[in-house]
Amino acid sequence: MAAPAYSLDAWRRFREQKERPGKPAGTPPATILAGIPADAEMDDGIVIGFWNGERFVSREKWLATAPIPVDPIPAATALPEAAVYRAICGKTPIWLRKDGDRWLMFAETRKSRRRDFASPFLEHAIRTAEAWYGPAADGWRPVERAPAAKEGPHDDPAQ
């Protein structure tokens, strides 16, 4: 799935493009309509045709054969396993702490919990913190390591 058009990542890419000289940031992509001949053939009995590279065909034929362009998915930054992460988002210190199977958010101090937020996914918690407070200046760093898995009574390696 492609990144949403109004995401924090899209905003960062827009700002980077705007700062670079050359192609303006708001330039629309080149259309493929320029490559379609004016006297292109069209299947019989269709009202709206879809270009398949050779002729206009019905929507059903086009959907069955057309390649779907997909934006590349950026590789997620792998964070080390930890129970607490910390970052400075904008100018606000943020902590994300694992509590059972959910992540809780703390802003300003480690004792001031955001009561309106809890997430089962660390990536979602990070995206939310950056959307609310701004991008993490130096990235997310582990503060406390995750507790090691305890061996159960039936996990004897000697058996």
Side-chain angles (χ1 to χ4, degrees), residues 135-150:
D138 296 325
W140 291 88
R141 296 216 161 63
V143 177
E144 293 177 17
R145 295 283 172 211
K150 296 179 181 177

Side-chain angles (χ1 to χ4, degrees), residues 56-82:
F56 287 99
V57 297
S58 69
R59 182 174 188 270
E60 291 78 21
K61 279 187 186 177
W62 179 79
L63 280 176
T65 60
I68 300 172
V70 178
D71 289 338
I73 299 172
T77 56
L79 292 171
E81 194 70 27

